[in-house]
């Protein structure tokens, strides 16, 4: 099925992919929103609707990241500092330990499918993509592209020729047996909401504010249409929590401004929820449905951890990747990463996991404190922390730790930014100390012919 929007999609893809090669922050944005871009491509272009060609799009984004990283290294090799940072080493160690646990898992096929079979994603998310962002200024450039590119990707998806409301979820029915994943649609929609609502627009054109609000609310609407209740609830919660932190409060006027702004935001979110919840999907958004989904996840956690607690011999190294399947339940994994880590990778794996999270929190607090004096930087940090917090909360209901994703990537980016900012602050302190130490001193070495040559007036003022 063809669409009049197909040529525009192809032109947009060629343009943004070419542009991204020399602009790492655009490439980073594409990695964040690529799941929806991929689903849009599959909807509009029949060639990619063949399951045999699904992996080609993954190679495309991986190739783009690889080329962009290489170009960046050529142009700015110093941006690769702090590659071997503590969070990266822990994330990589956890991933390798997961692969190693295939040796003792009772469910090798399921464990392999969840872990080692997806090693290209670990390479993309853990090793290469974090190299696209170094400083907070780098990430500051990501804010508007997330909203813009993410919104455009969602619009293309919404009008896709294979997209329809399947039951209570908006999905792309690619083939008879293959459909898009509504969870990734919701995730990108919430990322657009986060970026739009936490971006400060001081110094930008007046039309930017309504454009951001429109894009953010559309992102929320698409998340609602996906039927992913957890993403919507958690996303709105994170936006509400971080909204005041993205705005500096200097006096009572600022306080009331932030308070009123938060009230308006809640009102807009409420109106948006009402617009996108209709008779077609209202059943999924009732209080009983949401509560039932949450209780189902908690029951899954209980059924996962109880057998592990009853087997002390598995406490240290866990039952192995994919061992959850031996419990005889319908799912292939427990839908809760902390529980999955401790039961399948044991206390050893959980120590790595907990260390990674604690260090990320430490570095996030560090860069937030360092950005307190700048509205622009404060907003950027709020968005970065929002992405990390939202990602972590999602791990309590979906995703497997055996397959590294955006969550660990954001943790590593936070760490790299903190280390770069710390290094820049130390250099600034050294320069300031040197200036204070030598303030007022007179260096006789300046009295040479180059600076005081009557025949060379340019040299006389060259300093």
């Amino acid at each position: 099925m063809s669409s009049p929007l197909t040529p525009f999609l192809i032109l947009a893809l060629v343009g943004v992919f070419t542009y991204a090669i020399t602009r790492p922050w655009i490439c980073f944005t594409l990695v964040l929103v690529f799941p929806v871009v991929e689903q849009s491509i599959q909807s509009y272009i029949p060639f990619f609707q063949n399951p045999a060609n699904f992996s080609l799009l993954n190679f495309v984004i991986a190739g783009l990241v690889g080329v962009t990283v290489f170009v960046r290294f050529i142009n700015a090799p110093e941006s690769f500092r702090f590659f071997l940072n503590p969070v990266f080493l822990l994330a990589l160690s956890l991933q390798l330990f997961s692969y190693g646990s295939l040796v003792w898992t009772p469910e090798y096929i399921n464990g392999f499918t969840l872990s080692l079979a997806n090693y290209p994603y670990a390479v993309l998310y853990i090793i290469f993509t974090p190299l696209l962002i170094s400083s907070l200024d780098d990430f500051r450039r990501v804010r508007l592209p997330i909203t813009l590119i993410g919104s455009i990707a969602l619009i293309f998806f919404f009008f896709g020729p294979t997209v329809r409301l399947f039951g209570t979820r908006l999905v792309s029915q690619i083939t008879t047996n293959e459909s898009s994943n509504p969870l990734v649609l919701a995730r990108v929609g919430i990322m657009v909401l986060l970026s739009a609502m936490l971006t400060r627009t001081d110094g930008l054109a007046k039309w930017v504010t309504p454009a951001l609000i429109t894009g953010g609310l559309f992102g929320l609407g698409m998340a609602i249409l996906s039927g992913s209740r957890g993403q919507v609830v958690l996303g709105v919660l994170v936006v509400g929590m971080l909204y005041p932190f993205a705005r500096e409060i200097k006096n009572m006027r600022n306080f009331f401004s932030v308070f009123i702004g938060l009230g308006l935001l809640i009102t807009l979110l409420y109106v948006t929820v009402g617009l996108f919840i209709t008779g077609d999907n209202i059943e999924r958004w009732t209080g009983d449905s949401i509560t039932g989904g949450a209780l189902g996840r908690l029951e899954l956690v209980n059924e996962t951890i109880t057998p592990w607690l009853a087997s002390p011999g598995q406490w240290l190294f866990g039952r192995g990747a994919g061992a959850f399947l031996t419990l005889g339940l319908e799912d292939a994994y427990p839908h809760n990463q902390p529980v999955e880590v401790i039961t399948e990778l044991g206390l050893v794996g959980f120590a790595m996991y907990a260390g990674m999270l604690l260090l990320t929190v430490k570095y996030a607090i560090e860069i937030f404190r360092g950005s307190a004096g700048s509205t622009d930087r404060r907003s950027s940090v709020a968005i970065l922390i929002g992405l990390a917090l939202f990602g972590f909360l999602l791990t309590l209901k979906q995703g497997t730790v055996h397959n590294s994703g955006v969550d660990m990537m954001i943790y590593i980016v936070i760490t790299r930014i903190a280390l770069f900012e710390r290094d820049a602050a130390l250099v600034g302190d050294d320069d300031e100390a040197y200036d204070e130490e030598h303030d007022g001193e007179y260096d006789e070495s300046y009295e040479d012919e180059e600076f005081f040559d009557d025949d060379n007036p340019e040299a006389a003022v060259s300093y």
Side-chain angles (χ1 to χ4, degrees), residues 442 446-456 459-460 463:
Y442 177 72
Y446 287 162
E447 295 185 3
D448 56 24
E449 294 181 358
E450 179 181 359
F451 289 95
F452 295 92
D453 188 351
D454 293 337
D455 297 329
N456 187 0
Y463 58 91

Side-chain angles (χ1 to χ4, degrees), residues 99 102 109-121 402-403:
Y99 300 161
L102 294 175
I109 295 178
N110 186 48
F112 179 82
T113 302
L114 292 174
S115 61
L116 194 55
N118 294 299
Y119 79 89
Y121 293 101
H402 304 301
N403 181 10

Side-chain angles (χ1 to χ4, degrees), residues 178-190:
E178 298 284 347
S179 61
S180 62
N181 186 349
L183 297 179
V184 298
L185 174 64
R187 179 164 194 151
V188 172
I190 294 300

Side-chain angles (χ1 to χ4, degrees), residues 1-3 6 9 37-57 156-157 159-164 171-180:
M1 184 185 299
S2 61
S3 168
T6 301
L9 174 65
V37 173
E38 180 180 28
Q39 293 177 1
S40 297
I41 294 173
Q42 290 171 335
S43 180
Y44 285 88
I45 304 176
F47 174 80
F48 292 105
Q49 294 169 9
N50 185 344
N53 299 324
F54 284 178
S55 61
L56 293 178
L57 295 173
F156 272 111
F157 178 86
F159 291 104
T162 63
V163 174
R164 55 186 55 86
V171 299
S172 175
Q173 197 67 38
I174 304 169
T175 68
T176 305
N177 300 319
E178 298 284 347
S179 61
S180 62

Side-chain angles (χ1 to χ4, degrees), residues 292-369:
L295 292 176
R297 288 290 194 266
L298 291 176
E299 180 63 25
L300 207 57
V301 166
N302 180 61
E303 292 178 345
T304 304
I305 203 165
T306 299
W308 178 79
L309 290 173
S311 306
Q314 298 172 344
W315 289 358
L316 190 59
F317 297 108
R319 305 178 65 219
F324 174 81
L325 202 62
T326 62
L327 300 179
L329 303 175
E330 295 181 359
D331 300 280
Y333 64 99
H335 293 269
N336 186 299
Q337 281 193 20
V339 170
E340 183 182 45
V341 173
I342 200 167
T343 57
E344 297 192 355
L345 301 181
L347 295 174
V348 173
F350 191 77
M352 299 178 191
Y353 181 77
M356 178 182 65
L357 294 178
L358 291 174
L359 283 173
T360 301
V361 171
K362 170 183 176 294
Y363 288 125
I365 293 174
E366 183 176 329
I367 57 176
F368 180 79
R369 287 176 174 172

Side-chain angles (χ1 to χ4, degrees), residues 237-258:
L237 177 65
V238 171
V239 170
M241 287 173 55
L242 294 178
Y243 183 86
F245 291 96
R247 287 146 175 83
E248 188 176 6
I249 300 177
K250 297 180 178 179
N251 48 47
M252 290 300 295
R253 180 180 178 182
N254 287 131
F255 173 79
F256 284 112
S257 176
V258 171

